[in-house]
Amino acid sequence: MSYPIQTITLPLPMRMGSVNCFLVAVADGFVLFDTGGPNQRAELQQVLEQAGCRPGKLKLIVLTHGDFDHSGNAAYLRQIYGAPIAMHPDDVGMVERGDMSWNRQGKKLILKSTGLLFGFGRAERLTPDSLLRDGDGLGAYGLDAQIIHLPGHSLGSIGVLLAGGDLIGGDLLESTKGPALNSIMDDGAAAAASVDKLKGRQVGTVYPGHGQPFALDAFLSQR
């Protein structure tokens, strides 16, 4: 079966583009993938309310990775909606310490300052309620989906392959100017291996963290 995916696109600070969150309706509620940054919290909450996602109806928050533009509202939403937060263990230190450089190889000084830019303060820090590893499913939350570990952008980046072939892909790929690898990669070799991993899956449409959805084949045909 296929699931309806609602894309929630939120602007980033300083005209740095936008970030996508994805709301998926399940039998008795919703699952939210990524949460945007605190700078657009009111807009995000308004969209959730309009979709019928109210306290008690949000079953799970999945973070595709720990960057603040994806995790910035997770702690707040957990408090308001009562939803647990899940993510890969390799990015947990980012959100627990408020440090996007925690598990990355380079750009340490630049990344350490991004908390101020995105408004990610102590109130936004969190410890996830559950950890997601490669091959895990989300059936307990009413969603037929599988976790795929896709390191490259960060060590703990994941994608979520929904039944029907839609992939919520985090920041491995983007499509701000057409399908491409994300312009920010911490480990290029790991990213290439993650792309190869996707080739072996029945992936149709990719829903990236930045840009428009696209067919995976459209990206692979360029390589």
Side-chain angles (χ1 to χ4, degrees):
M1 67 174 293
S2 297
Y3 293 91
I5 301 173
Q6 180 176 350
T7 303
I8 305 170
T9 301
L10 302 171
L12 295 172
M14 306 292 290
R15 298 183 180 181
M16 295 173 61
S18 61
V19 63
N20 296 325
C21 313
F22 300 103
L23 186 66
V24 177
V26 295
D28 57 348
F30 299 87
V31 176
L32 179 65
F33 297 89
D34 292 332
T35 68
N39 64 303
Q40 291 297 323
R41 180 168 295 168
E43 181 178 345
L44 172 62
Q45 194 165 1
Q46 181 180 23
V47 174
L48 294 179
E49 293 289 328
Q50 291 172 345
C53 183
R54 299 181 175 89
K57 299 294 287 183
L58 187 57
K59 303 303 178 182
L60 180 68
I61 299 166
V62 176
L63 301 179
T64 60
H65 59 293
D67 283 347
F68 300 155
D69 56 330
H70 294 257
S71 63
N73 292 310
Y76 173 81
L77 294 177
R78 177 169 60 185
Q79 179 181 3
I80 299 300
Y81 290 85
I85 299 167
M87 65 186 300
H88 194 278
D90 286 346
D91 272 11
V92 168
M94 285 186 184
V95 294
E96 284 188 333
R97 303 182 187 191
D99 180 4
M100 280 171 45
S101 70
W102 174 73
N103 65 351
R104 284 186 162 115
Q105 301 175 43
K107 300 181 179 178
K108 297 284 187 180
L109 292 177
I110 296 174
L111 289 171
K112 280 183 178 294
S113 67
T114 53
L116 293 175
L117 176 63
F118 285 104
F120 194 100
R122 289 190 175 275
E124 283 67 47
R125 296 184 189 182
L126 63 96
T127 297
D129 301 281
S130 60
L131 300 176
L132 299 173
R133 295 177 171 85
D134 192 65
D136 285 350
L138 298 178
Y141 303 96
L143 189 60
D144 186 0
Q146 186 180 53
I147 304 302
I148 307 177
H149 186 207
L150 299 173
H153 178 72
S154 70
L155 189 60
S157 287
I158 60 171
V160 185
L161 184 59
L162 307 183
D166 291 329
L167 177 76
I168 296 173
D171 276 4
L172 175 66
L173 305 174
E174 64 181 15
S175 63
T176 56
K177 297 179 180 178
L181 275 176
N182 191 287
S183 58
I184 300 174
M185 281 295 165
D186 189 58
D187 187 332
S194 291
V195 170
D196 287 341
K197 193 174 188 177
L198 290 179
K199 293 178 183 177
R201 308 297 180 103
Q202 296 297 314
V203 178
T205 300
V206 177
Y207 289 79
H210 304 273
Q212 299 298 313
F214 60 91
L216 180 64
D217 285 347
F219 167 73
L220 295 178
S221 67
Q222 302 173 4
R223 297 177 66 80

